[in-house]
Amino acid sequence: MPTKNQKKAIARIFADLIKADRIVDTGEMNFWEKICNRYAIDRQIHIEAKSLPFADAVNIICSSDEESLIKGFLDDCKAMTVSDGFCAHSEALIMSALNLMLDVNREQSVEVYSIPRANFNIDVATVVYVESDFDQHTNKAIRANYRAIFKELQLAGFHFVYLPQVIDHYHHTDEDLFKRMLSFLAPDMSDESVDHTYENLMKMTTASFCNDILCNRGGMDQLRNTYPSLLIKIGNSFVGDVEYANYLKIEVADDILHTVQKYADDFCNMLSSDIFVVNTSEERDNQFHFFGFYKQLLDIFLIRKNIRSTILIDPYRDEILFPEIDAELSNVGLSERALYILLLCQGNEGLNFKQPGRNDSKIEHERYKKRMEKIQKRYAEIYKNFLGAEREPADISQRTTRGPLISRLRASMKQLKGLYNPKDYTITESDKHLFIHIDPSMVFVGTKKESIPLLESDIYRRIKGL
């Protein structure tokens, strides 16, 4: 007999299968009663199962040591999908994940994710190629076999999205026409913002899309260090009162075409009908899709709210800018800006202002003194040589001096509208440690027309050398 957790997992998965085609019929209800009797699922288990995400349920079954339980469960799932005499496309999506996850002899590494639906949410049956770092061999294989991969998935009822192909299409479009289209879609944007949006869109890669949009904006933290993979949207379901998106991820390599063909063949073999609707729409010359994935991608750059903005430090104007939301750090002086820049340079290390106690050793007090001297030297370097201030910088080792600077910076940050997760851009404090939790790759030094990453800048090298 399965454990209580396994019973909840079984109830969760069967409930998702029944609801997948958005029709609940007599055959499915009769089958559900048999399942409840077979696995001893009572009303309380059913209630508790509603709070269990689909991916957690699948992983509970996968971790079972009882091979007979896994095999019997999978057979029951297959029988459930045809209990009404028809296996729908939406049911086959869930079954494709179960078949791969529960197959110990599978060729690929696979995972399932259940993630609360966020601002970026792809359509069901969309297949997106993802990677957190550029993989030359896999990308070369995709480009060489793009049409075959696209058609294989299209004929199985999927839409394949390879971001470099999308950006290539945008690159081959007349720049003036593309900017006019952006301006039409977002008439409140200035010409300068349209230019900036165009440049950022053209620079987008699969890795930056995966890290900045799917991870930072979509909450898919599981993809932060992912190998080349196909991310397949297999459905939506409620966990309690919160709607979740369910995904299947299949790792791929330079034999991606073979992986796609096998997946598409196995998927189609589950369908009860040889006829199903295939989306044949593709972007063509001087033509842009504005629905589904394409609309959401453009909305990320066009809608001036919930934006994961970069930070631009302009030393020529002594400005700290947030280009994607057309804003700057205002109502603060050079002392506050220098502290903000120092914290950006410190990254996850932050600034440690914690003082030793009276009973701590002399060595601890000496370490604290040296740490404060280093922090002050770095602060002075930014204040005098980078920002060009003539007077002596404030002594930020003193809480009475540092506190008002932090307060003014926080007040300035509150005035910024449109940032996604503004806490990441604001100074946070933990046990006398100060941090700004923004990825250093999103911070640049220079002007709007020409800038370099902070980590490659002269100021970063200089203060890290102190």
Side-chain angles (χ1 to χ4, degrees), residues 141-167:
I142 294 174
R143 287 194 177 277
N145 299 283
Y146 176 77
R147 181 175 174 79
I149 294 170
F150 187 94
K151 291 297 181 183
E152 287 280 354
L153 290 169
Q154 186 182 52
L155 291 174
F158 294 89
H159 179 64
F160 178 54
V161 176
Y162 179 55
L163 193 72
Q165 191 78 11
V166 177
I167 303 304

Side-chain angles (χ1 to χ4, degrees), residues 9-15 17-18 31 35 38-39 54 58 61 69-83 87 91-92 94-96 98-99 102 270:
I10 290 168
R12 168 86 249 189
I13 294 169
F14 275 112
L17 274 173
I18 290 173
F31 201 96
I35 292 298
R38 182 172 301 165
Y39 296 101
F54 173 81
V58 175
I61 301 299
L69 173 66
I70 294 176
K71 184 179 183 305
F73 166 76
L74 191 57
D75 289 340
D76 285 336
C77 288
K78 292 175 181 176
M80 170 71 87
T81 61
V82 294
S83 62
C87 180
E91 293 172 322
I94 296 176
M95 282 305 307
S96 69
L98 295 175
N99 282 333
L102 300 177
M270 287 187 285

Side-chain angles (χ1 to χ4, degrees), residues 137-198:
H137 299 294
T138 307
N139 280 274
K140 183 179 179 181
I142 294 174
R143 287 194 177 277
N145 299 283
Y146 176 77
R147 181 175 174 79
I149 294 170
F150 187 94
K151 291 297 181 183
E152 287 280 354
L153 290 169
Q154 186 182 52
L155 291 174
F158 294 89
H159 179 64
F160 178 54
V161 176
Y162 179 55
L163 193 72
Q165 191 78 11
V166 177
I167 303 304
D168 281 352
H169 173 66
Y170 292 164
H171 270 294
H172 288 104
T173 301
D174 177 73
E175 182 176 336
D176 180 64
L177 171 64
F178 198 93
K179 288 181 178 179
R180 280 192 284 133
M181 186 264 295
L182 294 178
S183 184
F184 167 77
L185 294 174
D188 57 325
M189 287 177 62
S190 65
D191 291 341
E192 186 180 44
S193 294
V194 169
D195 290 342
H196 189 74
T197 297
Y198 176 81

Side-chain angles (χ1 to χ4, degrees), residues 89-359:
H89 198 272
S90 54
E91 293 172 322
L93 283 169
I94 296 176
M95 282 305 307
S96 69
L98 295 175
N99 282 333
L100 285 171
M101 288 292 295
L102 300 177
D103 181 6
V104 294
N105 298 315
R106 60 178 178 264
E107 298 176 3
Q108 301 85 21
S109 173
V110 299
E111 293 180 79
V112 288
Y113 305 135
S114 293
I115 300 165
R117 289 187 59 171
N119 294 313
F120 191 89
N121 181 65
I122 63 179
D123 292 336
V124 173
T126 299
V127 181
V128 183
Y129 173 72
V130 294
E131 61 184 2
S132 54
D133 293 296
F134 179 76
D135 186 280
Q136 180 179 356
H137 299 294
T138 307
N139 280 274
K140 183 179 179 181
I142 294 174
R143 287 194 177 277
N145 299 283
Y146 176 77
R147 181 175 174 79
I149 294 170
F150 187 94
K151 291 297 181 183
E152 287 280 354
L153 290 169
Q154 186 182 52
L155 291 174
F158 294 89
H159 179 64
F160 178 54
V161 176
Y162 179 55
L163 193 72
Q165 191 78 11
V166 177
I167 303 304
D168 281 352
H169 173 66
Y170 292 164
H171 270 294
H172 288 104
T173 301
D174 177 73
E175 182 176 336
D176 180 64
L177 171 64
F178 198 93
K179 288 181 178 179
R180 280 192 284 133
M181 186 264 295
L182 294 178
S183 184
F184 167 77
L185 294 174
D188 57 325
M189 287 177 62
S190 65
D191 291 341
E192 186 180 44
S193 294
V194 169
D195 290 342
H196 189 74
T197 297
Y198 176 81
E199 291 168 5
N200 282 342
L201 192 57
M202 295 303 148
K203 289 189 296 186
M204 175 158 279
T205 64
T206 302
S208 64
F209 165 76
C210 185
N211 294 321
D212 295 340
I213 295 181
L214 293 183
C215 295
N216 294 337
R217 186 152 188 175
M220 302 182 190
D221 291 334
Q222 300 92 331
L223 300 180
R224 287 204 183 277
N225 297 294
T226 188
Y227 291 106
S229 302
L230 296 177
L231 186 69
I232 306 171
K233 176 70 173 292
I234 60 173
N236 300 305
S237 57
F238 278 88
V239 179
D241 295 327
V242 179
E243 188 171 11
Y244 276 59
N246 299 320
Y247 298 91
L248 168 66
K249 191 188 79 170
I250 306 173
E251 284 189 12
V252 294
D254 53 6
D255 62 345
I256 182 172
L257 179 57
H258 169 73
T259 301
V260 166
Q261 288 172 332
K262 186 177 188 311
Y263 177 79
D265 288 345
D266 292 343
F267 182 86
C268 290
N269 286 336
M270 287 187 285
L271 300 174
S272 299
S273 173
D274 293 330
I275 302 174
F276 46 90
V277 177
V278 173
N279 184 357
T280 59
S281 61
E282 297 179 44
E283 290 191 315
R284 306 186 188 282
D285 292 345
N286 296 327
Q287 186 184 82
F288 313 96
H289 283 170
F290 194 61
F291 62 86
F293 174 89
Y294 306 94
K295 179 181 185 301
Q296 293 209 332
L297 180 63
L298 290 176
D299 280 349
I300 288 291
F301 292 89
L302 296 175
I303 297 176
R304 318 313 292 169
K305 62 180 181 180
N306 295 325
I307 301 297
R308 188 76 175 179
S309 178
T310 56
I311 299 176
L312 175 63
I313 303 168
D314 188 337
Y316 307 102
R317 296 186 177 184
D318 295 333
E319 292 177 335
I320 298 175
L321 307 171
F322 303 84
E324 284 77 9
I325 59 170
D326 289 333
E328 67 174 291
L329 199 64
S330 58
N331 299 322
V332 291
L334 294 182
S335 296
E336 289 84 358
R337 292 191 186 111
L339 177 57
Y340 195 83
I341 293 169
L342 176 57
L343 282 164
L344 291 173
C345 290
Q346 291 296 119
N348 292 329
E349 179 185 346
L351 294 174
N352 179 7
F353 291 101
K354 188 173 182 179
Q355 292 180 268
R358 290 182 180 179
N359 297 325

Side-chain angles (χ1 to χ4, degrees), residues 375-441:
I375 289 175
Q376 188 62 26
K377 280 183 181 180
R378 290 181 172 182
Y379 178 72
E381 178 70 23
I382 295 172
Y383 184 82
K384 298 184 71 173
N385 297 324
F386 188 63
L387 297 179
E390 296 181 358
R391 61 182 183 273
E392 287 299 310
D395 183 2
I396 62 171
S397 68
Q398 301 300 315
R399 174 66 185 176
T400 53
T401 302
R402 186 171 69 247
L405 301 182
I406 296 171
S407 296
R408 285 192 283 272
L409 282 167
R410 287 173 174 166
S412 179
M413 291 302 303
K414 286 181 180 179
Q415 297 173 12
L416 298 180
K417 305 299 180 184
L419 285 175
Y420 171 75
N421 199 3
K423 290 182 180 179
D424 287 354
Y425 298 80
T426 303
I427 296 176
T428 57
E429 187 170 356
S430 174
D431 194 25
K432 306 301 180 183
H433 285 61
L434 297 182
F435 301 92
I436 295 177
H437 294 291
I438 197 72
D439 191 318
S441 66

